Amino acid sequence: MPRGRYSLHDPHDHTPLGEEHFHCAPGPSGWRYVAQTTTPSGEHAGSVDLTLDDLGRPLRLELHAGGWQVRGAALDGVTWVRTDPTGDHATEGNVPAHAFTGTSPAFLVALTRLLRLTPGTGATRVRLVALTDPVLAPLTVDQSWALVTSETHPTDNGPLTVDEYEVTTLDTGERHTVHIAGDVVLAAPGIELEDLQTPPSTFT
């Protein structure tokens, strides 16, 4: 069960946004990721709880940030309920999208599980619902993902396969690279892996 810590920062001006303390593991249903987020000063900021089925679809998502809460799942696309701090103004949403995305590295791993890309097959277009900080406001985005390379490196704990993805945001043309090993993000815009106590899990 990988357990560790990511540091998060603004991908454009590198302003620190805080840290995400996580653990994750494959399970009978697919994969689960649980994390607590903190501010740059170390105060509690929110939480992430994401469970995927064995096809990589979001079975259950629960996010907390800025006093807001979102619960979501794959249902007729993706469906969610967003609740304000008082609970008086809950809103429901549904979009014919493939999955959720957001600040958490969990969403990058989840999407690669859903897409299951192979090197050299070209880019795949996906529609996502981004739950944006600081209040988890939903925004529909279109991206293309391509697996550029998949390389295996020797480590003290055995071979480690690192996948390099090229991601393009289609409405802006902005392009970036994501490196993932198993169920751990090694590097991505706005994300740094600061500590990893156990090796990444290997998906079958």
Side-chain angles (χ1 to χ4, degrees):
M1 177 185 292
R3 185 181 299 268
R5 173 173 54 90
Y6 295 108
S7 63
L8 307 176
H9 57 267
D10 187 294
H12 302 290
D13 62 14
H14 303 290
T15 301
L17 300 177
E19 294 186 333
E20 187 160 305
H21 301 255
F22 73 95
H23 62 272
C24 56
S29 65
W31 182 71
R32 188 178 182 195
Y33 178 100
V34 178
Q36 300 290 322
T37 56
T38 58
T39 67
S41 62
E43 298 175 351
H44 177 73
S47 62
V48 181
D49 191 340
L50 174 63
T51 301
L52 306 180
D53 67 11
D54 57 1
L55 296 178
R57 298 171 299 191
L59 271 181
R60 176 180 175 273
L61 170 67
E62 184 171 330
L63 293 181
H64 294 263
W68 292 80
Q69 173 185 286
V70 170
R71 293 177 183 265
L75 182 65
D76 297 325
V78 294
T79 299
W80 68 92
V81 176
R82 178 173 174 266
T83 307
D84 67 295
T86 65
D88 294 333
H89 303 289
T91 57
E92 297 183 5
N94 172 264
V95 170
H98 296 87
F100 295 100
T101 190
T103 303
S104 174
F107 294 114
L108 300 177
V109 175
L111 189 55
T112 63
R113 297 305 306 147
L114 180 68
L115 298 178
R116 299 175 190 258
L117 301 174
T118 55
T121 57
T124 296
R125 178 171 177 156
V126 290
R127 172 158 289 182
L128 306 169
V129 173
L131 300 167
T132 58
D133 290 336
V135 293
L136 304 178
L139 175 67
T140 303
V141 297
D142 291 301
Q143 294 180 338
S144 73
W145 279 66
L147 178 54
V148 179
T149 61
S150 184
E151 298 182 348
T152 301
H153 304 272
T155 72
D156 294 340
N157 297 301
L160 181 70
T161 300
V162 178
D163 295 327
E164 178 185 340
Y165 295 88
E166 184 177 85
V167 183
T168 304
T169 303
L170 296 179
D171 62 343
T172 64
E174 184 178 1
R175 184 173 296 176
H176 61 268
T177 301
V178 174
H179 291 87
I180 293 177
D183 54 359
V184 173
V185 177
L186 303 181
I191 298 168
E192 300 271 350
L193 179 63
E194 300 289 353
D195 178 53
L196 185 63
Q197 298 176 17
T198 49
S201 299
T202 301
F203 290 107
T204 57

